[in-house]
Amino acid sequence: MPALRALRQPRLMAALFAALAAGLPGAAHAQAAAASDTSRVRIVSIPGSLPEPRNAVVVLPAGYHDSPRRYPVLYLLHGHDGGHRNWLDRTNLLAHTARLPLIVVLPDAANSWYTNSAARPAERFEEYVAREVPAFIDQHFRTLTYREARYVAGLSMGGYGALKLGLKHSARFSLAGSFSGAPLAAAGDASSQTRMDAFGPAGSASRAENDLLALARDARVADGTYFYLDTGTLDRLLADNRAFVQAMAARPLAYEYHEVPGTHSWEFWDRRLPVFLKLVEERIARLPAAEPIGVRTGSAPAGGHGTAH
């Protein structure tokens, strides 16, 4: 098992290891049908660089409707053959985020590998998720619009997408998390139809541009960007994650990597999500005080962009 890179903040390390030791009892269960706080959940249709708009789930923090404050945002990406409701329906997402001052957005990216399609130029899913979905959320919800308040994570295919966004779009996302990710997707099986559609044939320029090993080696990543990766010890993608972590270790990239008992399953992802949310909570605690709606202080933290609403 590759070594876990030491965290730079002792308090954060202690919190994470406490969460690891505590664990979570029980298996994930379908949550949406039993969710009582329906005022927290919105379904929106988001247009962009696609043939047609796609739906997304927006999970609002408790008290959102009674407060003028602005909130940081976590974009939580689904896996292959998944969709925008997966994290809501198959994990305890509402309970895990109940006390956090955080908006969570679940976009839908089909089986795109969060990539501008090599086979179908009209389907620009990387552009859609990296830029257009956040722009829509910033326009329609009370968000903090600078990178220190914007995070992305995902499972399996979504883990690949989150890592790519963290490497290629670090001016927009300060924290990227991968659960059982597929970091070698662009360098892997060229016979997979969805990978062919996303990345093109083996050896193509599109493959090279989306190869996370190459990005980990060469990408210019904004200061303060942090990566979180975890994988089950019985996960079929364990070797791929180890290879990617070795590539990260060769660069001055800030990250942590965990191998813990588990498989490529919703039980594992539901169990690991609260561990990642500890990192999110730590970052939220370091943010400047949230601005009330309609109030501007004249400057945003470094990396900020856009206009708050």
Side-chain angles (χ1 to χ4, degrees), residues 34-229:
S36 58
D37 192 3
T38 54
S39 65
R40 293 184 59 202
V41 178
R42 294 285 183 270
I43 306 297
V44 296
S45 179
I46 304 179
S49 299
L50 307 173
E52 59 186 18
R54 301 193 74 88
N55 287 342
V57 172
V58 180
V59 178
L60 300 171
Y64 178 89
H65 304 290
D66 301 318
S67 168
R69 73 174 293 181
R70 299 179 181 278
Y71 295 90
V73 185
L74 168 63
Y75 293 87
L76 201 50
L77 310 183
H78 65 77
H80 197 274
D81 292 331
H84 65 284
R85 290 192 61 94
N86 282 169
W87 280 101
L88 180 67
D89 291 344
R90 306 195 67 176
T91 76
N92 293 291
L93 175 64
L94 291 181
H96 294 328
T97 58
R99 66 181 184 82
L100 295 179
L102 176 72
I103 295 172
V104 183
V105 179
L106 316 179
D108 194 309
N111 286 336
S112 66
W113 290 94
Y114 300 92
T115 296
N116 296 336
S117 175
R120 293 187 285 272
E123 298 182 0
R124 297 176 57 79
F125 277 97
E126 181 180 332
E127 178 74 11
Y128 179 68
V129 176
R131 300 177 186 274
E132 294 165 348
V133 171
F136 178 94
I137 297 300
D138 288 345
Q139 181 180 3
H140 291 88
F141 296 89
R142 297 195 312 275
T143 66
L144 295 168
T145 60
Y146 45 87
R147 66 179 297 274
E148 290 83 358
R150 189 181 293 127
Y151 323 115
V152 62
L155 65 90
S156 195
M157 180 187 80
Y160 164 85
L163 292 173
K164 181 167 72 171
L165 294 185
L167 289 166
K168 293 182 68 175
H169 301 275
S170 61
R172 294 176 175 273
F173 302 94
S174 61
L175 173 65
S178 169
F179 310 99
S180 309
L184 305 191
D189 183 8
S191 66
S192 163
Q193 187 59 55
T194 61
R195 295 188 190 190
M196 281 287 292
D197 290 346
F199 305 122
S204 66
S206 180
R207 287 260 172 180
E209 291 167 1
N210 291 285
D211 183 347
L212 294 195
L213 290 177
L215 287 171
R217 183 183 64 242
D218 301 326
R220 298 181 63 181
V221 177
D223 290 344
T225 306
Y226 196 80
F227 296 88
Y228 170 96
L229 303 90

